[in-house]
Amino acid sequence: MNMNLTLLGQAISFAIFVWFCLKYVWPPIIAALEAREAQIADGLASAEQGKHELENAEKRVKEILSDGKEKAQDLVSQAQKRADEIHERAKNEAVDEKVKIIASASAEIEQERNQALDGLRKQVGSLALQGAEQILMREIDEKSHRDVLNKLAGAL
Amino acid sequence: MSGASPAEYISHHIQNLTYGEYQDGTWGFAHTAQEAAQMGFVAINVDTMFWSLFTGILFCYLFRVAAANASIGKPSKWQLCVELVVEMVWGSVKDAFTGKNAIIAPLSLTIFVWIFLMNLMDLVPVDFIPYATQLAGLSHMKMVPTTDVNATFGMSLSIFALMIYYGIKMKGIGGFAAELAFHPFGKAFLPVNLILESVSMIAKPLSLSLRLFGNMFAGELVFVLIAALVPFYLQFILAVPWAIFHILVITLQAYIFMMLTIVYLGQAHEVHH
């Protein structure tokens, strides 16, 4: 328990060790610690950002997909509509054509019938005239009765 | 130690290797406690100085190795170990010290590790190195510097000086004196204040060093007692549990010394209004 110069020796060595620690030990270690802390913080932040970006990209992909689907749906329905239209028009045209053909055919038929009727009428007239002629040959003078006969043929 | 009585053995083990001037005017190592006491202040405990310098230089070397090779991405195991200690110290400083002072944290680190290493010498079996040095001709050898009051007072008085220095630096001489004179009872009770504050101020380094010294001296003494009184083949029954318990004590004492240093210097930085 004697106090002696050891006291001063201790104080001096203490001061030297503290100075050494302050100068050569503390700063590099703290610098490394702080740099690592900053690195970890950066890493975490960029991971967070990456996650965020991934989420955004996924959202965009979904949007694009649904957009595409919608467009495809649109295209299909448009095509359907267009096909329906074309179909309808073709049908209408066909119906028109049919009506036209029928009309022209019936007109032709009518005409032919009229012609046939005309011919028949004329033939019936002349046949009737011939028949009448032959019947009347002996009784009627052809000349005098021609007008009557012609009138008759016209009325037929 | 064959031939010596337990009392001689014990008193031999608690005496430092003191170098100083004999009463007849020649210089040399003290052979007895009485001789050491007669040497007075102009003497030096060679063993204390040697082991404290040894542990201090060991601290500087080991920590410098980690600091010089400090890597951010790929720290070595030793660097991680050092970082663990540094972060513990840094956390304590941040918690307890509100002022701004770049010295406090390295100072605390030095205190903690150095005292820890000095205390750690306590775990070296009490006779290993002293016996070897005795063969080499040295009469005494106390390996644990912190069981020498000179060592603990050397540190605590340095801290006391820092307390006064920063107290005056932060508050000015007037502020420092006012804190001594006008607290806690106001200006009317100036002498009472002066006595109270001076006592509490002086108590700080005193308690700081005596706490460390007392704990380590008592711990060392128990080891010496075990070695002196128990037959060698049974000593481990007592010495091993005590050593394991002592691991806690040496760490705790180093931590307490560091923590109180931070708190005291923090108080020195606080400006009262």
Side-chain angles (χ1 to χ4, degrees):
Chain A
M1 282 287 285
N2 317 306
M3 301 303 289
N4 57 29
L5 282 176
T6 315
L7 187 77
L8 284 180
Q10 274 287 318
I12 293 164
S13 33
F14 182 42
I16 292 170
F17 293 144
V18 170
W19 168 81
F20 185 86
C21 182
L22 174 71
K23 190 105 180 161
Y24 297 108
V25 174
W26 191 261
I29 290 177
I30 288 301
L33 279 175
E34 274 173 350
R36 187 173 317 136
E37 233 164 64
Q39 250 180 19
I40 289 171
D42 278 2
L44 284 178
S46 61
E48 191 60 36
Q49 201 188 341
K51 218 168 102 186
H52 202 66
E53 267 167 20
L54 181 68
E55 262 168 26
N56 277 353
E58 266 171 6
K59 220 190 272 174
R60 230 175 25 238
V61 166
K62 251 183 211 162
E63 266 168 28
I64 289 170
L65 266 180
S66 69
D67 224 42
K69 258 185 205 160
E70 221 169 87
K71 258 185 198 155
Q73 197 62 47
D74 258 20
L75 276 177
V76 167
S77 65
Q78 247 174 35
Q80 189 71 42
K81 216 162 107 190
R82 193 67 180 281
D84 281 354
E85 265 175 26
I86 290 170
H87 191 226
E88 194 64 27
R89 211 163 57 205
K91 212 161 105 187
N92 286 347
E93 272 173 13
V95 168
D96 282 358
E97 194 69 13
K98 182 183 90 182
V99 169
K100 237 188 252 168
I101 288 169
I102 288 170
S104 77
S106 54
E108 221 166 285
I109 290 165
E110 186 71 15
Q111 202 182 351
E112 293 218 340
R113 202 186 71 150
N114 285 349
Q115 270 178 2
L117 274 179
D118 249 17
L120 274 177
R121 211 178 280 142
K122 274 185 187 145
Q123 272 180 359
V124 169
S126 67
L127 273 178
L129 201 63
Q130 274 175 4
E133 234 177 358
Q134 276 172 9
I135 296 164
L136 292 176
M137 198 70 85
R138 297 157 246 183
E139 301 167 23
I140 319 168
D141 180 25
E142 202 181 335
K143 280 181 191 161
S144 56
H145 293 105
R146 187 171 303 264
D147 294 344
V148 180
L149 286 172
N150 275 352
K151 248 187 222 167
L152 201 69
L156 277 170
Chain B
M1 306 286 287
S2 56
S5 73
E8 280 170 338
Y9 177 83
I10 292 165
S11 65
H12 184 260
H13 269 80
I14 58 175
Q15 196 193 328
N16 281 107
L17 180 66
T18 310
Y19 185 83
E21 189 181 19
Y22 294 125
Q23 286 208 305
D24 60 9
T26 56
W27 288 73
F29 290 112
H31 297 295
T32 61
Q34 200 189 1
E35 254 182 9
Q38 281 164 353
M39 284 174 173
F41 191 76
V42 189
I44 194 153
N45 295 341
V46 177
D47 46 1
T48 299
M49 279 317 295
F50 175 79
W51 290 110
S52 63
L53 283 175
F54 173 78
T55 47
I57 289 166
L58 190 69
F59 154 68
C60 287
Y61 171 72
L62 289 177
F63 274 60
R64 176 62 194 161
V65 165
N69 304 318
S71 146
I72 297 157
K74 276 178 93 183
S76 63
K77 288 193 177 83
W78 177 239
Q79 188 192 337
L80 288 176
C81 180
V82 167
E83 279 174 7
L84 211 67
V85 178
V86 168
E87 279 189 323
M88 186 278 288
V89 172
W90 206 16
S92 304
V93 172
K94 276 179 184 164
D95 286 344
F97 187 81
T98 48
K100 266 196 160 176
N101 193 333
I103 291 176
I104 302 298
L107 174 78
S108 308
L109 178 68
T110 310
I111 288 174
F112 178 71
V113 183
W114 193 26
I115 293 183
F116 176 78
L117 287 175
M118 289 195 285
N119 292 353
L120 196 64
M121 303 307 295
D122 215 355
L123 294 180
V124 178
V126 284
D127 272 325
F128 271 27
I129 290 172
Y131 193 63
T133 54
Q134 195 163 35
L135 290 182
L138 298 171
S139 59
H140 299 87
M141 178 54 64
K142 255 174 89 177
M143 283 184 62
V144 192
T146 42
T147 58
D148 181 354
V149 272
N150 288 296
T152 57
F153 268 109
M155 297 179 88
S156 74
L157 289 178
S158 305
I159 289 156
F160 187 57
L162 279 180
M163 278 162 61
I164 292 171
Y165 171 72
Y166 282 117
I168 291 172
K169 193 182 172 195
M170 303 308 287
K171 299 160 196 166
I173 291 239
F176 184 72
E179 207 165 67
L180 279 181
F182 303 147
H183 287 105
F185 294 129
K187 292 179 184 179
F189 296 90
L190 193 140
V192 182
N193 291 339
L194 212 56
I195 292 168
L196 277 175
E197 284 291 312
S198 304
V199 166
S200 86
M201 191 154 185
I202 289 164
K204 283 173 185 173
L206 210 64
S207 69
L208 206 55
S209 57
L210 288 182
R211 177 185 302 107
L212 178 60
F213 163 73
N215 273 282
M216 297 323 295
F217 188 79
E220 174 78 351
L221 200 61
V222 171
F223 279 120
V224 174
L225 277 174
I226 292 168
L229 301 176
V230 181
F232 76 92
Y233 49 88
L234 290 177
Q235 284 176 8
F236 73 93
I237 294 174
L238 293 171
V240 168
W242 181 244
I244 291 169
F245 176 66
H246 215 56
I247 294 172
L248 290 177
V249 175
I250 60 180
T251 318
L252 191 67
Q253 287 306 318
Y255 181 75
I256 288 172
F257 201 107
M258 176 196 80
M259 212 54 222
L260 285 177
T261 303
I262 298 170
V263 170
Y264 290 161
L265 286 175
Q267 284 172 353
H269 280 71
E270 268 166 27
V271 180
H272 294 289
H273 297 288

